[in-house]
Amino acid sequence: MVIKAVINRTLNPRPSTLDRSGFIQAYGGVYEDSSWVAEAAWEAGVSAAHDEVDALHLALQAEVDAASDARQLALLNAHPDLAGRAAVRGELTAASTEEQASAGLDQCTPDEFERFVELNTRYRARFPFPFIMAVRGATRGDILDAFAVRIENSAEDEFATALAQVSRIARLRLDAMAES
C-alpha cells in the first residue's frame, strides 16, 4: 500500500491579507478571463482559511458551481482553442501560453497543427464552446487522443467534462501560485 502525504500549501499572496481589489488582481485570472469568479468568492467572504490552496480552490469552485448555465457557458468560452489561431497570433493569456507550451503545443508539426485545427473545427460545430483540457503534464498525442474520444460525448456530458477540466486548470494555477 502506498501512502501519499498531502501537503496543503499556503498561497502567495495570502488571500486573507488582501483587500477586494488586491484579491481580484491576484486571483481573478485563476479562471481564464473570468474575474467574476474571484469577485463572487470575495463577496462570499475570504478568511485566513482561504490562505490554503484547497480552501480557496473550493471557494472559487463553489461560485462556478452556483453560477447559471449561461454564466458557466461564458466561462467555457473564455478559454482559447488548444493550438489554435490565438496561440499562433500570440493572443493567449500568460497562463494559457505557459500551459500550452508545457504540453509542446507550441512545437506542433504541420500535420499535428492541421489535426488540431480540424478537431477544433469539428468540436466547435458540435459544441458551443472550445475543447478544454488541463494540458499540463500531457503530450500532444495525449491531447489529440482525448479530443478524438470527447468529441463523441453527448452535449450534457461534454459540458460537465469541460467544467471539470476548467476546475482542474484552476487548481493547477493555484498550486503554481503556492510554489512561487
Side-chain angles (χ1 to χ4, degrees):
M1 179 172 160
V2 175
I3 299 174
K4 281 193 198 175
V6 176
I7 299 170
N8 193 10
R9 294 172 308 200
T10 302
L11 288 156
N12 185 22
R14 291 176 181 257
S16 67
T17 65
L18 302 172
D19 63 12
R20 182 182 193 280
S21 176
F23 180 81
I24 293 166
Q25 182 177 355
Y27 297 102
V30 170
Y31 285 83
E32 190 83 13
D33 284 334
S34 300
S35 62
W36 65 266
V37 178
E39 291 168 5
W42 175 263
E43 296 303 324
V46 174
S47 69
H50 296 104
D51 291 346
E52 303 297 325
V53 171
D54 288 344
L56 185 58
H57 181 250
L58 288 173
L60 294 169
Q61 188 57 47
E63 299 305 328
V64 172
D65 292 344
S68 68
D69 287 348
R71 195 144 217 202
Q72 289 176 344
L73 179 60
L75 172 66
L76 297 180
N77 277 306
H79 283 261
D81 289 334
L82 293 177
R85 289 174 178 83
V88 172
R89 292 189 304 261
E91 298 172 352
L92 301 180
T93 63
S96 284
T97 299
E98 180 193 340
E99 291 157 359
Q100 289 199 27
S102 77
L105 295 180
D106 60 338
Q107 299 171 12
C108 287
T109 66
D111 288 343
E112 288 170 330
F113 183 74
E114 186 176 310
R115 182 78 173 130
F116 272 106
V117 169
E118 176 215 338
L119 286 168
N120 279 321
T121 301
R122 283 183 48 217
Y123 189 93
R124 286 286 196 150
R126 185 161 163 81
F127 304 109
F129 50 87
F131 176 79
I132 300 169
M133 181 177 167
V135 298
R136 189 172 303 280
T139 66
R140 292 187 301 272
D142 295 336
I143 298 163
L144 287 168
D145 290 347
F147 227 138
V149 169
R150 286 178 45 197
I151 204 165
E152 301 302 325
N153 282 348
S154 69
E156 183 177 285
D157 287 346
E158 190 55 21
F159 190 81
T161 299
L163 283 172
Q165 288 296 306
V166 166
S167 178
R168 185 166 177 234
I169 292 165
R171 174 58 195 238
L172 291 168
R173 288 178 179 180
L174 287 170
D175 285 340
M177 293 175 86
E179 291 171 2
S180 60

